[in-house]
Structures are given as C-alpha cells and as structure tokens.
PDB file of all heavy atoms in Angstrom:
ATOM      1  N   ALA A   1     104.340 135.072  63.392  1.00 78.00           N
ATOM      2  CA  ALA A   1     103.950 136.589  63.434  1.00 78.00           C
ATOM      3  C   ALA A   1     104.623 137.401  62.381  1.00 78.00           C
ATOM      4  O   ALA A   1     104.019 138.354  61.789  1.00 78.00           O
ATOM      5  CB  ALA A   1     104.177 137.171  64.790  1.00 78.00           C
ATOM      6  N   SER A   2     105.869 137.002  62.021  1.00 83.00           N
ATOM      7  CA  SER A   2     106.560 137.821  61.015  1.00 83.00           C
ATOM      8  C   SER A   2     107.691 136.904  60.343  1.00 83.00           C
ATOM      9  O   SER A   2     108.482 136.351  61.038  1.00 83.00           O
ATOM     10  CB  SER A   2     107.291 139.025  61.649  1.00 83.00           C
ATOM     11  OG  SER A   2     108.196 139.663  60.742  1.00 83.00           O
ATOM     12  N   GLN A   3     107.516 136.777  59.008  1.00 83.00           N
ATOM     13  CA  GLN A   3     108.523 135.936  58.302  1.00 83.00           C
ATOM     14  C   GLN A   3     109.691 136.771  57.859  1.00 83.00           C
ATOM     15  O   GLN A   3     110.601 136.247  57.227  1.00 83.00           O
ATOM     16  CB  GLN A   3     107.774 135.356  57.097  1.00 83.00           C
ATOM     17  CG  GLN A   3     106.804 134.303  57.427  1.00 83.00           C
ATOM     18  CD  GLN A   3     105.451 134.889  57.789  1.00 83.00           C
ATOM     19  OE1 GLN A   3     104.858 135.681  57.072  1.00 83.00           O
ATOM     20  NE2 GLN A   3     104.953 134.466  58.935  1.00 83.00           N
ATOM     21  N   PHE A   4     109.761 137.983  58.213  1.00 91.00           N
ATOM     22  CA  PHE A   4     110.915 138.814  57.826  1.00 91.00           C
ATOM     23  C   PHE A   4     112.128 138.301  58.609  1.00 91.00           C
ATOM     24  O   PHE A   4     112.122 138.204  59.802  1.00 91.00           O
ATOM     25  CB  PHE A   4     110.683 140.299  58.192  1.00 91.00           C
ATOM     26  CG  PHE A   4     111.858 141.169  57.892  1.00 91.00           C
ATOM     27  CD1 PHE A   4     112.278 141.391  56.578  1.00 91.00           C
ATOM     28  CD2 PHE A   4     112.507 141.851  58.938  1.00 91.00           C
ATOM     29  CE1 PHE A   4     113.307 142.181  56.319  1.00 91.00           C
ATOM     30  CE2 PHE A   4     113.557 142.678  58.623  1.00 91.00           C
ATOM     31  CZ  PHE A   4     114.031 142.883  57.327  1.00 91.00           C
ATOM     32  N   ASN A   5     113.217 138.007  57.866  1.00 95.00           N
ATOM     33  CA  ASN A   5     114.412 137.387  58.440  1.00 95.00           C
ATOM     34  C   ASN A   5     115.377 138.527  58.852  1.00 95.00           C
ATOM     35  O   ASN A   5     116.095 139.034  58.084  1.00 95.00           O
ATOM     36  CB  ASN A   5     115.055 136.495  57.468  1.00 95.00           C
ATOM     37  CG  ASN A   5     116.061 135.544  58.164  1.00 95.00           C
ATOM     38  OD1 ASN A   5     116.640 135.925  59.138  1.00 95.00           O
ATOM     39  ND2 ASN A   5     116.182 134.353  57.602  1.00 95.00           N
ATOM     40  N   ARG A   6     115.335 138.846  60.202  1.00 96.00           N
ATOM     41  CA  ARG A   6     116.237 139.900  60.686  1.00 96.00           C
ATOM     42  C   ARG A   6     117.654 139.536  60.761  1.00 96.00           C
ATOM     43  O   ARG A   6     118.542 140.372  60.885  1.00 96.00           O
ATOM     44  CB  ARG A   6     115.770 140.356  62.030  1.00 96.00           C
ATOM     45  CG  ARG A   6     114.361 140.930  62.106  1.00 96.00           C
ATOM     46  CD  ARG A   6     113.650 140.813  63.419  1.00 96.00           C
ATOM     47  NE  ARG A   6     112.279 141.212  63.319  1.00 96.00           N
ATOM     48  CZ  ARG A   6     111.285 140.452  62.919  1.00 96.00           C
ATOM     49  NH1 ARG A   6     111.533 139.172  62.547  1.00 96.00           N
ATOM     50  NH2 ARG A   6     110.023 140.826  62.823  1.00 96.00           N
ATOM     51  N   ALA A   7     117.948 138.288  60.579  1.00 97.00           N
ATOM     52  CA  ALA A   7     119.373 137.809  60.608  1.00 97.00           C
ATOM     53  C   ALA A   7     120.018 137.932  59.290  1.00 97.00           C
ATOM     54  O   ALA A   7     121.241 138.109  59.195  1.00 97.00           O
ATOM     55  CB  ALA A   7     119.382 136.321  61.096  1.00 97.00           C
ATOM     56  N   THR A   8     119.243 137.868  58.199  1.00 97.00           N
ATOM     57  CA  THR A   8     119.837 137.832  56.892  1.00 97.00           C
ATOM     58  C   THR A   8     119.440 139.005  56.017  1.00 97.00           C
ATOM     59  O   THR A   8     120.123 139.407  55.037  1.00 97.00           O
ATOM     60  CB  THR A   8     119.489 136.573  56.104  1.00 97.00           C
ATOM     61  OG1 THR A   8     117.993 136.478  55.917  1.00 97.00           O
ATOM     62  CG2 THR A   8     119.966 135.360  56.877  1.00 97.00           C
ATOM     63  N   ALA A   9     118.268 139.711  56.353  1.00 94.00           N
ATOM     64  CA  ALA A   9     117.807 140.747  55.460  1.00 94.00           C
ATOM     65  C   ALA A   9     117.825 142.144  56.134  1.00 94.00           C
ATOM     66  O   ALA A   9     117.907 143.130  55.424  1.00 94.00           O
ATOM     67  CB  ALA A   9     116.392 140.432  55.016  1.00 94.00           C
ATOM     68  N   SER A  10     117.765 142.260  57.452  1.00 95.00           N
ATOM     69  CA  SER A  10     117.650 143.431  58.103  1.00 95.00           C
ATOM     70  C   SER A  10     119.073 144.138  58.194  1.00 95.00           C
ATOM     71  O   SER A  10     120.051 143.487  58.631  1.00 95.00           O
ATOM     72  CB  SER A  10     117.171 143.292  59.522  1.00 95.00           C
ATOM     73  OG  SER A  10     117.029 144.523  60.157  1.00 95.00           O
ATOM     74  N   GLN A  11     119.167 145.333  57.823  1.00 96.00           N
ATOM     75  CA  GLN A  11     120.463 146.078  57.867  1.00 96.00           C
ATOM     76  C   GLN A  11     120.408 147.092  59.085  1.00 96.00           C
ATOM     77  O   GLN A  11     119.493 147.985  59.117  1.00 96.00           O
ATOM     78  CB  GLN A  11     120.751 146.865  56.621  1.00 96.00           C
ATOM     79  CG  GLN A  11     120.840 145.904  55.363  1.00 96.00           C
ATOM     80  CD  GLN A  11     121.166 146.726  54.099  1.00 96.00           C
ATOM     81  OE1 GLN A  11     121.710 147.840  54.168  1.00 96.00           O
ATOM     82  NE2 GLN A  11     120.872 146.117  52.989  1.00 96.00           N
ATOM     83  N   ARG A  12     121.300 146.843  60.062  1.00 97.00           N
ATOM     84  CA  ARG A  12     121.305 147.679  61.211  1.00 97.00           C
ATOM     85  C   ARG A  12     122.756 148.209  61.476  1.00 97.00           C
ATOM     86  O   ARG A  12     123.679 147.588  61.059  1.00 97.00           O
ATOM     87  CB  ARG A  12     120.808 146.849  62.470  1.00 97.00           C
ATOM     88  CG  ARG A  12     119.539 146.160  62.204  1.00 97.00           C
ATOM     89  CD  ARG A  12     118.330 147.129  62.102  1.00 97.00           C
ATOM     90  NE  ARG A  12     118.047 147.893  63.231  1.00 97.00           N
ATOM     91  CZ  ARG A  12     116.874 148.021  63.815  1.00 97.00           C
ATOM     92  NH1 ARG A  12     115.848 147.355  63.321  1.00 97.00           N
ATOM     93  NH2 ARG A  12     116.720 148.782  64.869  1.00 97.00           N
ATOM     94  N   GLN A  13     122.781 149.321  62.184  1.00 97.00           N
ATOM     95  CA  GLN A  13     124.093 149.837  62.567  1.00 97.00           C
ATOM     96  C   GLN A  13     124.756 148.966  63.546  1.00 97.00           C
ATOM     97  O   GLN A  13     124.203 148.537  64.532  1.00 97.00           O
ATOM     98  CB  GLN A  13     123.990 151.285  63.093  1.00 97.00           C
ATOM     99  CG  GLN A  13     123.597 152.356  62.103  1.00 97.00           C
ATOM    100  CD  GLN A  13     123.654 153.698  62.599  1.00 97.00           C
ATOM    101  OE1 GLN A  13     123.908 153.941  63.775  1.00 97.00           O
ATOM    102  NE2 GLN A  13     123.596 154.752  61.753  1.00 97.00           N
ATOM    103  N   PRO A  14     126.066 148.646  63.373  1.00 97.00           N
ATOM    104  CA  PRO A  14     126.745 147.696  64.240  1.00 97.00           C
ATOM    105  C   PRO A  14     127.397 148.377  65.451  1.00 97.00           C
ATOM    106  O   PRO A  14     127.843 147.671  66.328  1.00 97.00           O
ATOM    107  CB  PRO A  14     127.817 147.142  63.299  1.00 97.00           C
ATOM    108  CG  PRO A  14     128.144 148.280  62.328  1.00 97.00           C
ATOM    109  CD  PRO A  14     126.915 148.933  62.119  1.00 97.00           C
ATOM    110  N   GLY A  15     127.491 149.698  65.457  1.00 95.00           N
ATOM    111  CA  GLY A  15     128.185 150.351  66.551  1.00 95.00           C
ATOM    112  C   GLY A  15     129.622 149.886  66.701  1.00 95.00           C
ATOM    113  O   GLY A  15     130.226 149.641  65.663  1.00 95.00           O
ATOM    114  N   SER A  16     130.040 149.666  67.924  1.00 96.00           N
ATOM    115  CA  SER A  16     131.456 149.346  68.172  1.00 96.00           C
ATOM    116  C   SER A  16     131.861 147.983  67.682  1.00 96.00           C
ATOM    117  O   SER A  16     133.089 147.624  67.554  1.00 96.00           O
ATOM    118  CB  SER A  16     131.780 149.415  69.634  1.00 96.00           C
ATOM    119  OG  SER A  16     131.768 150.809  70.042  1.00 96.00           O
ATOM    120  N   SER A  17     130.847 147.106  67.325  1.00 97.00           N
ATOM    121  CA  SER A  17     131.200 145.804  66.748  1.00 97.00           C
ATOM    122  C   SER A  17     131.792 145.961  65.333  1.00 97.00           C
ATOM    123  O   SER A  17     132.238 144.982  64.819  1.00 97.00           O
ATOM    124  CB  SER A  17     129.949 144.879  66.756  1.00 97.00           C
ATOM    125  OG  SER A  17     129.005 145.362  65.933  1.00 97.00           O
ATOM    126  N   PHE A  18     131.783 147.142  64.829  1.00 97.00           N
ATOM    127  CA  PHE A  18     132.442 147.352  63.525  1.00 97.00           C
ATOM    128  C   PHE A  18     133.918 147.675  63.683  1.00 97.00           C
ATOM    129  O   PHE A  18     134.640 147.587  62.722  1.00 97.00           O
ATOM    130  CB  PHE A  18     131.748 148.603  62.848  1.00 97.00           C
ATOM    131  CG  PHE A  18     132.226 148.861  61.446  1.00 97.00           C
ATOM    132  CD1 PHE A  18     131.717 148.157  60.374  1.00 97.00           C
ATOM    133  CD2 PHE A  18     133.167 149.825  61.220  1.00 97.00           C
ATOM    134  CE1 PHE A  18     132.149 148.369  59.076  1.00 97.00           C
ATOM    135  CE2 PHE A  18     133.604 150.131  59.816  1.00 97.00           C
ATOM    136  CZ  PHE A  18     133.131 149.376  58.792  1.00 97.00           C
ATOM    137  N   LYS A  19     134.326 148.045  64.858  1.00 97.00           N
ATOM    138  CA  LYS A  19     135.737 148.476  65.050  1.00 97.00           C
ATOM    139  C   LYS A  19     136.777 147.433  64.705  1.00 97.00           C
ATOM    140  O   LYS A  19     137.876 147.816  64.259  1.00 97.00           O
ATOM    141  CB  LYS A  19     135.926 148.933  66.523  1.00 97.00           C
ATOM    142  CG  LYS A  19     135.142 150.242  66.861  1.00 97.00           C
ATOM    143  CD  LYS A  19     135.261 150.528  68.350  1.00 97.00           C
ATOM    144  CE  LYS A  19     134.523 151.819  68.680  1.00 97.00           C
ATOM    145  NZ  LYS A  19     134.473 152.103  70.170  1.00 97.00           N
ATOM    146  N   PRO A  20     136.514 146.146  64.865  1.00 98.00           N
ATOM    147  CA  PRO A  20     137.573 145.162  64.438  1.00 98.00           C
ATOM    148  C   PRO A  20     137.921 145.259  62.970  1.00 98.00           C
ATOM    149  O   PRO A  20     139.080 145.025  62.636  1.00 98.00           O
ATOM    150  CB  PRO A  20     136.944 143.831  64.734  1.00 98.00           C
ATOM    151  CG  PRO A  20     136.062 144.090  65.936  1.00 98.00           C
ATOM    152  CD  PRO A  20     135.453 145.463  65.703  1.00 98.00           C
ATOM    153  N   TYR A  21     137.019 145.761  62.093  1.00 98.00           N
ATOM    154  CA  TYR A  21     137.337 145.905  60.707  1.00 98.00           C
ATOM    155  C   TYR A  21     138.305 147.083  60.561  1.00 98.00           C
ATOM    156  O   TYR A  21     139.220 147.055  59.716  1.00 98.00           O
ATOM    157  CB  TYR A  21     136.145 146.108  59.889  1.00 98.00           C
ATOM    158  CG  TYR A  21     135.081 145.016  59.967  1.00 98.00           C
ATOM    159  CD1 TYR A  21     133.853 145.273  60.684  1.00 98.00           C
ATOM    160  CD2 TYR A  21     135.291 143.767  59.497  1.00 98.00           C
ATOM    161  CE1 TYR A  21     132.920 144.282  60.785  1.00 98.00           C
ATOM    162  CE2 TYR A  21     134.357 142.819  59.619  1.00 98.00           C
ATOM    163  CZ  TYR A  21     133.154 143.065  60.308  1.00 98.00           C
ATOM    164  OH  TYR A  21     132.248 142.023  60.429  1.00 98.00           O
ATOM    165  N   VAL A  22     138.061 148.112  61.380  1.00 98.00           N
ATOM    166  CA  VAL A  22     139.008 149.292  61.337  1.00 98.00           C
ATOM    167  C   VAL A  22     140.389 148.859  61.889  1.00 98.00           C
ATOM    168  O   VAL A  22     141.377 149.224  61.190  1.00 98.00           O
ATOM    169  CB  VAL A  22     138.445 150.434  62.240  1.00 98.00           C
ATOM    170  CG1 VAL A  22     139.331 151.628  62.127  1.00 98.00           C
ATOM    171  CG2 VAL A  22     137.005 150.770  61.787  1.00 98.00           C
ATOM    172  N   TYR A  23     140.405 148.133  62.978  1.00 98.00           N
ATOM    173  CA  TYR A  23     141.651 147.709  63.481  1.00 98.00           C
ATOM    174  C   TYR A  23     142.431 146.830  62.553  1.00 98.00           C
ATOM    175  O   TYR A  23     143.584 146.909  62.376  1.00 98.00           O
ATOM    176  CB  TYR A  23     141.457 146.950  64.826  1.00 98.00           C
ATOM    177  CG  TYR A  23     141.276 147.911  66.006  1.00 98.00           C
ATOM    178  CD1 TYR A  23     140.216 148.752  66.149  1.00 98.00           C
ATOM    179  CD2 TYR A  23     142.276 147.898  67.035  1.00 98.00           C
ATOM    180  CE1 TYR A  23     140.078 149.589  67.292  1.00 98.00           C
ATOM    181  CE2 TYR A  23     142.116 148.702  68.120  1.00 98.00           C
ATOM    182  CZ  TYR A  23     141.022 149.550  68.259  1.00 98.00           C
ATOM    183  OH  TYR A  23     140.872 150.399  69.352  1.00 98.00           O
ATOM    184  N   ALA A  24     141.663 145.952  61.880  1.00 98.00           N
ATOM    185  CA  ALA A  24     142.273 144.977  60.951  1.00 98.00           C
ATOM    186  C   ALA A  24     142.848 145.762  59.699  1.00 98.00           C
ATOM    187  O   ALA A  24     143.954 145.388  59.255  1.00 98.00           O
ATOM    188  CB  ALA A  24     141.291 143.952  60.386  1.00 98.00           C
ATOM    189  N   ALA A  25     142.180 146.847  59.290  1.00 98.00           N
ATOM    190  CA  ALA A  25     142.688 147.600  58.146  1.00 98.00           C
ATOM    191  C   ALA A  25     143.993 148.318  58.600  1.00 98.00           C
ATOM    192  O   ALA A  25     144.969 148.424  57.849  1.00 98.00           O
ATOM    193  CB  ALA A  25     141.646 148.631  57.714  1.00 98.00           C
ATOM    194  N   ALA A  26     143.994 148.863  59.862  1.00 97.00           N
ATOM    195  CA  ALA A  26     145.177 149.583  60.371  1.00 97.00           C
ATOM    196  C   ALA A  26     146.353 148.634  60.506  1.00 97.00           C
ATOM    197  O   ALA A  26     147.495 148.990  60.233  1.00 97.00           O
ATOM    198  CB  ALA A  26     144.850 150.298  61.679  1.00 97.00           C
ATOM    199  N   LEU A  27     146.062 147.447  61.078  1.00 98.00           N
ATOM    200  CA  LEU A  27     147.225 146.465  61.282  1.00 98.00           C
ATOM    201  C   LEU A  27     147.684 146.026  59.900  1.00 98.00           C
ATOM    202  O   LEU A  27     148.893 145.826  59.746  1.00 98.00           O
ATOM    203  CB  LEU A  27     146.749 145.331  62.145  1.00 98.00           C
ATOM    204  CG  LEU A  27     146.952 145.460  63.651  1.00 98.00           C
ATOM    205  CD1 LEU A  27     146.195 146.589  64.278  1.00 98.00           C
ATOM    206  CD2 LEU A  27     146.586 144.123  64.315  1.00 98.00           C
ATOM    207  N   SER A  28     146.765 145.801  58.944  1.00 97.00           N
ATOM    208  CA  SER A  28     147.199 145.415  57.558  1.00 97.00           C
ATOM    209  C   SER A  28     148.090 146.390  56.895  1.00 97.00           C
ATOM    210  O   SER A  28     148.922 146.015  56.116  1.00 97.00           O
ATOM    211  CB  SER A  28     146.024 145.075  56.692  1.00 97.00           C
ATOM    212  OG  SER A  28     145.278 143.999  57.271  1.00 97.00           O
ATOM    213  N   ALA A  29     147.869 147.712  57.282  1.00 96.00           N
ATOM    214  CA  ALA A  29     148.709 148.774  56.696  1.00 96.00           C
ATOM    215  C   ALA A  29     150.099 148.839  57.374  1.00 96.00           C
ATOM    216  O   ALA A  29     150.870 149.636  56.950  1.00 96.00           O
ATOM    217  CB  ALA A  29     148.004 150.107  56.806  1.00 96.00           C
ATOM    218  N   GLY A  30     150.306 148.064  58.423  1.00 96.00           N
ATOM    219  CA  GLY A  30     151.550 147.952  59.025  1.00 96.00           C
ATOM    220  C   GLY A  30     151.817 149.174  60.004  1.00 96.00           C
ATOM    221  O   GLY A  30     152.927 149.512  60.358  1.00 96.00           O
ATOM    222  N   LEU A  31     150.732 149.862  60.425  1.00 96.00           N
ATOM    223  CA  LEU A  31     150.821 151.033  61.251  1.00 96.00           C
ATOM    224  C   LEU A  31     150.763 150.807  62.756  1.00 96.00           C
ATOM    225  O   LEU A  31     151.148 151.613  63.575  1.00 96.00           O
ATOM    226  CB  LEU A  31     149.723 152.065  60.820  1.00 96.00           C
ATOM    227  CG  LEU A  31     149.672 152.454  59.378  1.00 96.00           C
ATOM    228  CD1 LEU A  31     148.566 153.372  59.135  1.00 96.00           C
ATOM    229  CD2 LEU A  31     151.006 153.164  58.947  1.00 96.00           C
ATOM    230  N   TYR A  32     150.174 149.645  63.132  1.00 97.00           N
ATOM    231  CA  TYR A  32     149.944 149.359  64.568  1.00 97.00           C
ATOM    232  C   TYR A  32     150.282 147.926  64.872  1.00 97.00           C
ATOM    233  O   TYR A  32     150.227 147.057  64.013  1.00 97.00           O
ATOM    234  CB  TYR A  32     148.487 149.684  64.917  1.00 97.00           C
ATOM    235  CG  TYR A  32     148.057 151.117  64.757  1.00 97.00           C
ATOM    236  CD1 TYR A  32     147.608 151.518  63.571  1.00 97.00           C
ATOM    237  CD2 TYR A  32     148.143 151.952  65.887  1.00 97.00           C
ATOM    238  CE1 TYR A  32     147.180 152.824  63.453  1.00 97.00           C
ATOM    239  CE2 TYR A  32     147.742 153.258  65.735  1.00 97.00           C
ATOM    240  CZ  TYR A  32     147.285 153.728  64.501  1.00 97.00           C
ATOM    241  OH  TYR A  32     146.863 155.032  64.415  1.00 97.00           O
ATOM    242  N   LYS A  33     150.475 147.620  66.163  1.00 96.00           N
ATOM    243  CA  LYS A  33     150.616 146.330  66.663  1.00 96.00           C
ATOM    244  C   LYS A  33     149.814 146.294  67.993  1.00 96.00           C
ATOM    245  O   LYS A  33     149.434 147.379  68.487  1.00 96.00           O
ATOM    246  CB  LYS A  33     152.085 146.023  66.983  1.00 96.00           C
ATOM    247  CG  LYS A  33     152.895 145.848  65.735  1.00 96.00           C
ATOM    248  CD  LYS A  33     154.359 145.498  66.121  1.00 96.00           C
ATOM    249  CE  LYS A  33     155.257 145.345  64.896  1.00 96.00           C
ATOM    250  NZ  LYS A  33     156.636 144.952  65.245  1.00 96.00           N
ATOM    251  N   PRO A  34     149.494 145.175  68.565  1.00 96.00           N
ATOM    252  CA  PRO A  34     148.759 145.113  69.781  1.00 96.00           C
ATOM    253  C   PRO A  34     149.381 145.947  70.939  1.00 96.00           C
ATOM    254  O   PRO A  34     148.722 146.460  71.820  1.00 96.00           O
ATOM    255  CB  PRO A  34     148.638 143.618  70.112  1.00 96.00           C
ATOM    256  CG  PRO A  34     148.794 142.954  68.820  1.00 96.00           C
ATOM    257  CD  PRO A  34     149.663 143.801  68.015  1.00 96.00           C
ATOM    258  N   SER A  35     150.725 145.947  70.925  1.00 95.00           N
ATOM    259  CA  SER A  35     151.413 146.699  71.999  1.00 95.00           C
ATOM    260  C   SER A  35     151.619 148.159  71.719  1.00 95.00           C
ATOM    261  O   SER A  35     152.133 148.899  72.553  1.00 95.00           O
ATOM    262  CB  SER A  35     152.826 146.036  72.192  1.00 95.00           C
ATOM    263  OG  SER A  35     153.563 146.104  70.957  1.00 95.00           O
ATOM    264  N   THR A  36     151.230 148.652  70.568  1.00 96.00           N
ATOM    265  CA  THR A  36     151.399 150.086  70.224  1.00 96.00           C
ATOM    266  C   THR A  36     150.634 150.951  71.221  1.00 96.00           C
ATOM    267  O   THR A  36     149.497 150.667  71.571  1.00 96.00           O
ATOM    268  CB  THR A  36     150.905 150.368  68.782  1.00 96.00           C
ATOM    269  OG1 THR A  36     151.607 149.569  67.840  1.00 96.00           O
ATOM    270  CG2 THR A  36     151.052 151.821  68.444  1.00 96.00           C
ATOM    271  N   ILE A  37     151.278 151.998  71.768  1.00 97.00           N
ATOM    272  CA  ILE A  37     150.705 152.844  72.667  1.00 97.00           C
ATOM    273  C   ILE A  37     149.918 153.922  71.902  1.00 97.00           C
ATOM    274  O   ILE A  37     150.417 154.594  70.985  1.00 97.00           O
ATOM    275  CB  ILE A  37     151.748 153.532  73.595  1.00 97.00           C
ATOM    276  CG1 ILE A  37     152.468 152.530  74.425  1.00 97.00           C
ATOM    277  CG2 ILE A  37     151.058 154.539  74.502  1.00 97.00           C
ATOM    278  CD1 ILE A  37     151.643 151.714  75.255  1.00 97.00           C
ATOM    279  N   VAL A  38     148.627 153.995  72.213  1.00 97.00           N
ATOM    280  CA  VAL A  38     147.750 155.073  71.534  1.00 97.00           C
ATOM    281  C   VAL A  38     147.144 155.921  72.621  1.00 97.00           C
ATOM    282  O   VAL A  38     147.152 155.558  73.813  1.00 97.00           O
ATOM    283  CB  VAL A  38     146.593 154.356  70.760  1.00 97.00           C
ATOM    284  CG1 VAL A  38     147.167 153.603  69.571  1.00 97.00           C
ATOM    285  CG2 VAL A  38     145.816 153.488  71.661  1.00 97.00           C
ATOM    286  N   THR A  39     146.751 157.088  72.248  1.00 96.00           N
ATOM    287  CA  THR A  39     146.224 158.082  73.199  1.00 96.00           C
ATOM    288  C   THR A  39     144.829 158.469  72.951  1.00 96.00           C
ATOM    289  O   THR A  39     144.453 158.900  71.839  1.00 96.00           O
ATOM    290  CB  THR A  39     147.115 159.393  73.153  1.00 96.00           C
ATOM    291  OG1 THR A  39     148.537 159.030  73.427  1.00 96.00           O
ATOM    292  CG2 THR A  39     146.580 160.332  74.251  1.00 96.00           C
ATOM    293  N   ASP A  40     143.965 158.214  73.923  1.00 94.00           N
ATOM    294  CA  ASP A  40     142.596 158.589  73.853  1.00 94.00           C
ATOM    295  C   ASP A  40     142.539 160.121  74.137  1.00 94.00           C
ATOM    296  O   ASP A  40     142.684 160.527  75.266  1.00 94.00           O
ATOM    297  CB  ASP A  40     141.757 157.802  74.881  1.00 94.00           C
ATOM    298  CG  ASP A  40     140.289 158.245  74.851  1.00 94.00           C
ATOM    299  OD1 ASP A  40     139.827 158.716  73.887  1.00 94.00           O
ATOM    300  OD2 ASP A  40     139.643 157.996  75.926  1.00 94.00           O
ATOM    301  N   ARG A  41     142.268 160.844  73.108  1.00 94.00           N
ATOM    302  CA  ARG A  41     142.242 162.331  73.180  1.00 94.00           C
ATOM    303  C   ARG A  41     141.152 162.836  72.249  1.00 94.00           C
ATOM    304  O   ARG A  41     140.682 162.157  71.360  1.00 94.00           O
ATOM    305  CB  ARG A  41     143.597 162.858  72.765  1.00 94.00           C
ATOM    306  CG  ARG A  41     144.042 162.454  71.393  1.00 94.00           C
ATOM    307  CD  ARG A  41     145.409 163.000  70.976  1.00 94.00           C
ATOM    308  NE  ARG A  41     145.853 162.570  69.642  1.00 94.00           N
ATOM    309  CZ  ARG A  41     145.334 162.876  68.484  1.00 94.00           C
ATOM    310  NH1 ARG A  41     144.354 163.764  68.386  1.00 94.00           N
ATOM    311  NH2 ARG A  41     145.809 162.403  67.334  1.00 94.00           N
ATOM    312  N   PRO A  42     140.809 164.153  72.364  1.00 93.00           N
ATOM    313  CA  PRO A  42     139.915 164.778  71.452  1.00 93.00           C
ATOM    314  C   PRO A  42     140.384 164.718  70.042  1.00 93.00           C
ATOM    315  O   PRO A  42     141.602 164.963  69.763  1.00 93.00           O
ATOM    316  CB  PRO A  42     139.732 166.171  71.968  1.00 93.00           C
ATOM    317  CG  PRO A  42     140.163 166.163  73.396  1.00 93.00           C
ATOM    318  CD  PRO A  42     141.210 165.051  73.427  1.00 93.00           C
ATOM    319  N   VAL A  43     139.535 164.355  69.054  1.00 94.00           N
ATOM    320  CA  VAL A  43     139.799 164.393  67.697  1.00 94.00           C
ATOM    321  C   VAL A  43     138.636 164.765  66.895  1.00 94.00           C
ATOM    322  O   VAL A  43     137.472 164.383  67.239  1.00 94.00           O
ATOM    323  CB  VAL A  43     140.350 162.973  67.225  1.00 94.00           C
ATOM    324  CG1 VAL A  43     139.236 161.901  67.401  1.00 94.00           C
ATOM    325  CG2 VAL A  43     140.706 163.017  65.738  1.00 94.00           C
TER     326      VAL A  43
END
C-alpha cells in the first residue's frame, strides 16, 4: 500500500525518548551523577 519507509525516512518528534541525549550531555559535562538530587519545580 505504501513504499514510504517510516523507519528510515520519516522524521517525527521523539518526545521524552530524546531526554537520554540531554542527560548524557549533562553527565558528560560533569554536572550530574545518578545519585544527584534534583528538584522538580517550575522553570
């Protein structure tokens, strides 16, 4: 019905599945560890 390859060609928003890249960047900067206490607050 459709030869369009949604796995390799379709660009979609990842939502929260993008967050590991953010966490990896923050950990690579030496600012956080898994045990670091963070606060969920308005920002």
Side-chain angles (χ1 to χ4, degrees):
S2 171
Q3 292 79 54
F4 178 65
N5 196 330
R6 295 158 189 82
T8 61
S10 181
Q11 298 183 23
R12 309 295 294 232
Q13 289 189 349
S16 293
S17 65
F18 186 82
K19 291 175 182 176
Y21 305 110
V22 182
Y23 278 66
L27 267 63
S28 296
L31 303 176
Y32 296 87
K33 294 181 180 179
S35 59
T36 301
I37 301 300
V38 293
T39 303
D40 179 22
R41 57 176 175 78
V43 59

